[in-house]
Amino acid sequence: MLKAKKLFKNYFNFAHYNMKTKPSISIIISTYNAVEWLKKTMWGYAVQTNKDFELVIADDGSGEETINTIKDFQKEFPVPIIHVWQEDEGFQKSRILNKAILACNADYILMSDGDCIPKNDFVEVHLSYREPGYFLSGGYFKLPMDISKRISHQDIEDQKCFDVEWLKSHGLKSSFKNNKLTASGMKSEVLNFITPTNASWNGHNSSGWKKDILAVNGFDERMQYGGQDRELGERLMNRGIKSKQIRYSALCVHLDHPRGYKTPETLEKNAAIRKTTRKKGYSYTYYGIVKEEN
């Protein structure tokens, strides 16, 4: 394994990027040692209807397999890929996301995960709904493990993994949630309006203005797994930024995986931080991008 400093130097990589051209949107994708899922996610971004974006991969310490995979994608991908890597020190997603935010060149940022395949109009939808003073709250459609493994590169190119009938033919059960796959036009607008789900900042599918995210100082780096994305959104709302629901308009499918980093201790700690943020009305964290000086 290469030394951490060398890796960071080599893979904070602005490959094929023309610095004179600012994209309309920067898309941050978080990942950690999940190459097969990351490949499927990347294939989804390769077929977007709107390609006026850059990908910023927030890598929480993955090994050489992930690094080499990203290098291969950088050679021929239709949009620029920036790889932001940090040394593996356990689950430190908030920290790597803050580094990725600083690496974004666009004024508008979309955040998702390296296990979420975007529908081909995913970027287009986020761009069409963006509005000053708001952030957008999307959702995901969770797939079982067997279907997650079955999805191929061709299935993503053909958009079969978003076709409810194709998914049912491979074992997907009927559910009201399937409306996420079939809703469009006025139906999706109505479902966005009536859903009881809060329009929160969701790490797998949310977007907002970079200046707003910087104004609240990004993610609170004290927080590990469990609600760190929601807490960011709560600080945005405390600052006066409103949220807009696009749960049934911007679609990604979530590939199944184990969560060994989920512990009662981190959930309890994060819940306490969120409670304080809401109770005190905090719109800024001293544990974010800019660290509090001692």
Side-chain angles (χ1 to χ4, degrees), residues 26-28 54 56 82 99-106 109 210:
S26 298
I27 302 170
I28 296 177
E54 64 181 7
V56 180
I82 300 167
K99 293 176 181 177
I101 289 165
L102 292 177
C104 291
N105 291 289
I109 296 175
K210 182 176 180 178

Side-chain angles (χ1 to χ4, degrees), residues 41-86:
T41 298
M42 299 285 281
W43 293 333
Y45 285 102
V47 296
Q48 290 296 299
T49 55
N50 186 319
K51 291 186 173 63
D52 187 13
F53 66 93
E54 64 181 7
L55 279 181
V56 180
I57 301 178
D59 187 346
D60 192 15
S62 296
E64 291 186 358
E65 184 182 9
T66 296
I67 292 169
N68 291 332
T69 296
I70 294 170
K71 287 177 67 178
D72 289 340
F73 271 108
Q74 285 173 327
K75 294 174 184 177
E76 298 182 356
F77 209 69
V79 303
I81 298 173
I82 300 167
H83 185 191
V84 184
W85 183 94
Q86 69 184 10

Side-chain angles (χ1 to χ4, degrees), residues 140-144 164-165 167-168 171-183 187 191 247-248:
Y140 62 72
F141 188 88
K142 189 173 183 178
L143 297 176
V164 68
E165 296 305 322
L167 291 168
K168 283 183 175 180
L172 182 70
K173 296 180 180 180
S174 296
S175 168
F176 179 83
K177 292 181 180 180
N178 292 356
N179 279 292
K180 291 180 184 178
L181 297 165
T182 59
K187 181 180 179 181
L191 290 171
R247 184 177 179 83
Y248 288 89

Side-chain angles (χ1 to χ4, degrees), residues 74-115:
Q74 285 173 327
K75 294 174 184 177
E76 298 182 356
F77 209 69
V79 303
I81 298 173
I82 300 167
H83 185 191
V84 184
W85 183 94
Q86 69 184 10
E87 190 172 0
D88 187 355
E89 296 181 351
F91 188 90
Q92 298 295 339
K93 184 178 179 181
S94 295
R95 187 191 305 167
I96 193 62
L97 287 175
N98 282 341
K99 293 176 181 177
I101 289 165
L102 292 177
C104 291
N105 291 289
D107 296 328
Y108 197 75
I109 296 175
L110 165 60
M111 296 186 191
S112 189
D113 291 322
D115 53 18

Side-chain angles (χ1 to χ4, degrees), residues 202-236:
N202 304 314
H204 49 265
N205 184 356
S206 287
S207 62
W209 297 94
K210 182 176 180 178
K211 66 179 181 63
D212 294 333
I213 298 169
L214 292 176
V216 301
N217 206 20
F219 289 88
D220 189 315
E221 295 183 10
R222 295 174 296 172
M223 303 179 74
Q224 279 78 48
Y225 179 83
Q228 74 272 34
D229 47 358
R230 303 288 181 88
E231 196 272 342
L232 170 69
E234 286 158 357
R235 279 186 281 113
L236 286 168

